[in-house]
């Protein structure tokens, strides 16, 4: 088992900066996931750790020893990729034992080790079958056993479950989790699947544009996302734009459209000045959908149901609020009152995340949107149709 340190890693291909100053320490025995959208540099980072690629700047250390120039085969790695590429002409046992015999292990010892590994991946019965006689999930388990055969110091996995269908992927996640925890092998895992990252990892390094945007435990990154992108990429989130108009007790007061919302000062990743243009984030599962007249709670927005979408265990409501934004809420079938119904969205102020405004069209955060709201969001006001707003709406 080894501790892996990435120190100021940078990599560019031609003029494109692909990895931009990545610093990361993976603890001994840790399961660390590089998570991020396609193209953010996960595979490139992993290939640098593996020694397939040299960084332009920075160093890779194993247990504090610089291995940046050490060839792959001397780094004591186990590797599993999406395309598991077992040798088709060798049996399962031969595939797993291949590296052992080529490293000069005696046959009796190698056979024993192979049996241990097949027990570990719970596939002892298929030792004499050929890869093509196995299901995708079974083949991938064999690939994992093969990667573990010579007891590597570090296990690297790049989207190893990517080719499997959903059900199988879930089963394999459990398998991987238990194997890694059982062996305590330092693991760097690459995926773009947030649920996979949340369920498998000790810590997640969330990447975007070749940088690490947040490094935290799954619980922390989900409940206290450091950036709008972190909130967006892990789970679902609604964004609202507003301005800081005051501080009351332990909360900021944020004006969103005509309504004032509270947001705790503590627990944010930064502090905000009066008048600051901010983005509020709140997750759909934190919102409660109330009847328009019902007694409110701490944070309340008024709106109308624009869409009710049945998605199995929850009904997803799209609610158009007075500021013009559309907010997604998870609710139940009993709450489905029909499109056009007036409702309140209510939530605990503590569940509000606050960020400095920065345009980010990929997340739906744009300045144009803000201007549209600032001049009165005519579409939303027309739709709401009460007297006061009708007077305000342009003729
Ligand atoms: N050998 C290469 N030459 C040029 N560009 C590359 C090369 N390898 C990767 N890239 C580019 O680097 C970016 C990051 O790629 P990659 O690390 O594979 O992302 P991820 O694994 O997160 O999807 C992509 O835009 C990709 O096109
Ligand atoms: Mg990749």
């Amino acid at each position: 088992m080894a501790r892996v340190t990435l120190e100021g890693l940078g990599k560019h291909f031609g003029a494109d900066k692909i990895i931009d100053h990545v610093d990361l320490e993976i603890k001994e025995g840790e399961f660390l996931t590089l998570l991020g959208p396609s193209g953010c540099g996960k595979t490139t980072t992993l290939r640098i750790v593996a020694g397939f690629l040299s960084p332009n700047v920075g160093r890779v250390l194993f247990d504090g020893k610089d291995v940046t120039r050490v060839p792959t085969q001397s780094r004591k790695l186990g590797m599993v990729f999406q395309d598991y590429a077992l040798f088709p002409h060798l049996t399962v046992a031969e595939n797993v034992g291949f590296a052992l015999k080529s490293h000069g292990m005696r046959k009796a010892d190698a056979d024993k080790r192979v049996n241990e590994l097949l027990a570990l991946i719970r596939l002892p019965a298929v030792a004499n079958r050929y890869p093509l006689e196995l299901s995708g999930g079974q083949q991938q388990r064999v690939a994992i056993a093969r990667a573990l055969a010579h007891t590597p110091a570090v296990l690297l996995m790049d989207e190893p479950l990517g080719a499997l269908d959903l059900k199988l992927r879930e089963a394999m996640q459990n398998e991987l989790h238990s194997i890694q925890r059982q062996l305590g092998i330092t693991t760097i895992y690459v995926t773009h699947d947030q649920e996979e990252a949340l369920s498998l990892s000790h810590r997640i390094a969330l990447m975007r544009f070749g940088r690490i945007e947040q490094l935290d435990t799954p619980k922390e990154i989900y409940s206290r996302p450091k950036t709008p992108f972190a909130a967006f990429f892990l789970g679902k989130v609604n964004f609202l734009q507003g301005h800081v108009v005051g501080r009351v007790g332990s909360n900021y007061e944020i004006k969103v459209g005509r309504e004032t919302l509270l947001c705790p000062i503590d627990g944010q990743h930064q502090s905000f000045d009066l008048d600051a243009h901010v983005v509020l984030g709140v997750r759909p599962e934190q919102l409660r959908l109330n009847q328009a007249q019902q007694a409110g709670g701490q944070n309340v927005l008024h709106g109308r149901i624009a869409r009710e979408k049945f998605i199995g265990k929850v009904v997803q409501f799209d609610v158009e609020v007075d500021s013009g934004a559309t907010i997604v809420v998870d609710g139940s079938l009993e709450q489905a009152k029909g499109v056009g119904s007036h409702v309140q969205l209510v939530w605990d102020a503590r569940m509000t995340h606050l960020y400095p405004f920065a345009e980010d069209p990929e997340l739906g955060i744009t300045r144009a949107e803000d201007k549209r709201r600032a001049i009165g969001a005519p579409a939303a006001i027309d739709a709401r149709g009460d007297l006061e707003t009708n007077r305000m709406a342009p003729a």
Side-chain angles (χ1 to χ4, degrees):
M1 308 313 121
R3 171 169 54 93
V4 179
T5 313
L6 311 185
E7 239 180 45
L9 281 191
K11 181 72 189 172
H12 52 82
F13 292 117
D16 297 332
K17 203 184 244 185
I18 301 301
I19 300 298
D20 187 8
H21 206 96
V22 164
D23 282 313
L24 184 60
E25 173 133 330
I26 300 109
K27 298 174 203 158
E28 195 171 316
E30 183 173 31
F31 193 120
L32 182 125
T33 296
L34 302 175
L35 172 71
S38 174
C40 72
K42 306 179 297 293
T43 294
T44 304
T45 305
L46 204 71
R47 291 179 70 206
I48 292 173
V49 177
F52 296 142
L53 269 181
S54 296
N56 296 108
V57 289
R59 305 195 302 165
V60 177
L61 301 101
F62 286 6
D63 282 333
K65 215 176 100 240
D66 190 340
V67 298
T68 319
R69 309 277 160 232
V70 172
T72 302
Q73 61 274 19
S74 309
R75 292 190 187 192
K76 290 190 72 191
L77 302 170
M79 291 184 264
V80 186
F81 301 109
Q82 177 166 342
D83 152 25
Y84 19 95
L86 298 172
F87 300 116
H89 59 288
L90 299 183
T91 65
V92 165
E94 286 164 347
N95 262 285
V96 174
F98 184 81
L100 299 176
K101 281 173 197 145
S102 63
H103 276 81
M105 191 185 269
R106 286 190 329 166
K107 185 173 181 322
D109 292 337
D111 287 349
K112 184 164 166 272
R113 176 81 183 133
V114 167
N115 287 333
E116 279 169 19
L117 287 158
L118 293 181
L120 179 74
I121 59 164
R122 298 196 291 118
L123 280 182
V126 302
N128 296 315
R129 290 216 218 140
Y130 288 89
L132 286 175
E133 299 171 319
L134 305 179
S135 71
Q138 289 175 327
Q139 288 184 45
Q140 195 55 313
R141 273 145 80 183
V142 174
I144 292 165
R146 186 179 59 177
L148 294 170
H150 57 286
T151 331
V154 180
L155 181 61
L156 305 179
M157 294 197 262
D158 193 349
E159 312 253 5
L161 311 183
L164 308 178
D165 64 49
L166 182 66
K167 280 266 182 279
L168 199 51
R169 211 155 65 217
E170 283 172 3
M172 282 297 296
Q173 283 171 15
N174 295 337
E175 200 90 10
L176 259 179
H177 185 273
S178 87
I179 290 174
Q180 196 275 340
R181 298 306 191 271
Q182 208 174 316
L183 301 179
I185 183 169
T186 309
T187 301
I188 308 180
Y189 190 89
V190 162
T191 185
H192 66 273
D193 182 309
Q194 43 124 347
E195 268 182 39
E196 198 164 291
L198 288 170
S199 70
L200 285 173
S201 320
H202 290 116
R203 286 187 306 161
I204 296 172
L206 177 66
M207 293 185 71
R208 192 186 196 194
F209 306 138
R211 283 188 293 267
I212 294 179
E213 187 130 342
Q214 185 165 4
L215 172 66
D216 261 316
T217 61
K219 224 165 131 184
E220 186 69 10
I221 204 168
Y222 188 83
S223 57
R224 272 180 17 98
K226 205 177 242 172
T227 61
F229 176 73
F232 168 86
F233 201 79
L234 284 120
K236 289 189 175 158
V237 67
N238 294 292
F239 292 124
L240 290 157
Q241 289 184 44
H243 288 87
V244 178
V245 294
R247 289 170 78 132
V248 179
S250 57
N251 288 301
Y252 292 111
E253 281 185 317
I254 314 286
K255 194 92 177 165
V256 174
R258 291 175 305 173
E259 318 207 48
T260 304
L261 302 173
L262 296 177
C263 185
I265 295 167
D266 273 0
Q268 304 303 332
H269 285 276
Q270 55 236 82
S271 58
F272 297 88
D273 294 331
L274 207 63
D275 283 336
H277 184 182
V278 291
V279 172
L280 281 82
V282 58
R283 297 203 183 277
E285 68 266 27
Q286 302 295 353
L287 294 167
R288 222 167 51 238
L289 192 73
N290 278 356
Q291 307 273 13
Q293 291 76 18
Q294 214 165 317
Q298 229 174 349
N299 276 340
V300 182
L301 285 175
H302 297 87
R304 284 176 353 122
I305 295 177
R307 183 168 179 217
E308 297 177 347
K309 186 172 158 197
F310 178 66
I311 50 170
K313 64 181 189 295
V314 296
V315 176
Q316 183 191 300
F317 295 92
D318 291 354
V319 176
E320 202 179 337
V321 296
D322 291 346
S323 71
T326 298
I327 302 292
V328 177
V329 194
D330 290 342
S332 63
L333 213 46
E334 301 81 68
Q335 292 171 305
K337 295 279 184 265
V339 169
S341 312
H342 290 262
V343 290
Q344 285 182 359
L345 302 180
V346 181
W347 73 98
D348 184 333
R350 284 171 304 176
M351 297 303 155
T352 319
H353 310 295
L354 207 55
Y355 307 102
F357 172 82
E359 198 149 25
D360 199 331
E362 198 190 323
L363 312 186
I365 303 171
T366 61
R367 209 167 275 284
E369 173 87 343
D370 182 52
K371 279 204 194 96
R372 190 172 68 75
R373 283 177 206 161
I375 61 170
I381 288 172
D382 278 351
R384 190 159 181 270
D386 66 40
L387 277 176
E388 188 194 357
T389 50
N390 273 343
R391 260 189 278 126
M392 284 165 60

